[in-house]
């Protein structure tokens, strides 16, 4: 299975995907790394990034597009199940509003009347590392269940 290419030194998401920087990883294989957003819109907000440095969707090699989105789909299913959410919001920015210049897809758990309006994304924090680890475990377990 192809990946997107080499990592770039100094890129936060390359460092997380390579295991060089700590994160609450919920899934990783040869195509993607998926981990909790450190500043989630809602708890359980996961970022899916390709292995190898790619800045935008248009830079993602065509042979990786399908496998990448298969993983995004699996993560969306797992976030919904693991967080007992009614659904998910899946989004991607290309350059504008892209806080880290590495392709990443947001998978955000959603429930009716959760307060999210349009594209206003209020951010929250996990109470502590223990809470983040517990939530990552829930999503990881749902991913294992759906892929086995």
């Amino acid at each position: 299975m192809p990946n997107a290419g080499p990592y770039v030194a100094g890129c936060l998401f390359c460092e997380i995907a390579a295991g060089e920087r700590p994160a609450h990883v919920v899934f990783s294989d040869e195509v993607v790394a998926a981990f909790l957003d450190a500043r989630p819109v809602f708890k359980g907000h996961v970022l899916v990034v390709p292995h190898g440095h790619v800045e935008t969707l248009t830079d993602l090699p065509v042979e990786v597009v399908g496998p990448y989105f298969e993983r995004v789909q699996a993560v969306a299913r797992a976030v919904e199940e693991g967080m007992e959410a009614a659904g998910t919001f899946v989004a991607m920015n290309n350059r504008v509003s892209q806080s880290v210049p590495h392709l990443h897809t947001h998978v955000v758990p959603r429930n009716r009347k959760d307060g999210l309006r349009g594209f206003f994304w209020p951010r929250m924090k996990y109470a502590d590392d223990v809470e983040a680890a517990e939530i990552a475990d829930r999503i990881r377990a749902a991913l294992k269940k759906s892929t086995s």
Side-chain angles (χ1 to χ4, degrees):
M1 182 67 60
N3 68 26
Y7 295 118
V8 170
C11 171
L12 173 66
F13 290 169
C14 282
E15 291 173 359
I16 291 171
E20 298 169 358
R21 184 180 288 256
H24 292 281
V25 176
V26 300
F27 179 79
S28 186
D29 68 3
E30 67 280 359
V31 179
V32 306
F35 49 90
L36 295 182
D37 190 314
R39 292 180 44 241
V41 174
F42 297 119
K43 293 174 182 180
H45 177 169
V46 173
L47 299 177
V48 181
V49 305
H51 279 289
H53 190 77
V54 175
E55 188 172 328
T56 68
L57 180 60
T58 57
D59 300 323
L60 189 65
V62 70
E63 65 273 11
V64 183
V65 172
Y68 178 82
F69 282 103
E70 287 172 8
R71 273 70 172 180
V72 171
Q73 182 183 49
V75 169
R77 187 178 303 112
V79 166
E80 193 171 307
E81 182 179 328
M83 297 307 297
E84 299 177 358
T88 57
F89 176 71
V90 179
M92 177 186 302
N93 292 304
N94 280 299
R95 292 189 186 90
V96 175
S97 295
Q98 194 178 18
S99 59
V100 175
H102 184 122
L103 175 66
H104 55 284
T105 304
H106 297 263
V107 180
V108 181
R110 293 295 313 273
N111 288 293
R112 301 213 185 293
K113 299 184 180 185
D114 60 16
L116 188 62
R117 299 227 187 298
F119 286 98
F120 175 67
W121 290 23
R123 297 296 183 125
M124 60 177 47
K125 293 185 179 197
Y126 291 98
D128 53 30
D129 214 39
V130 172
E131 181 186 34
E134 288 171 355
I135 287 174
D137 286 344
R138 289 167 57 185
I139 296 167
R140 195 177 301 111
L143 266 165
K144 284 181 185 173
K145 181 177 159 187
S146 70
T147 58
S148 56

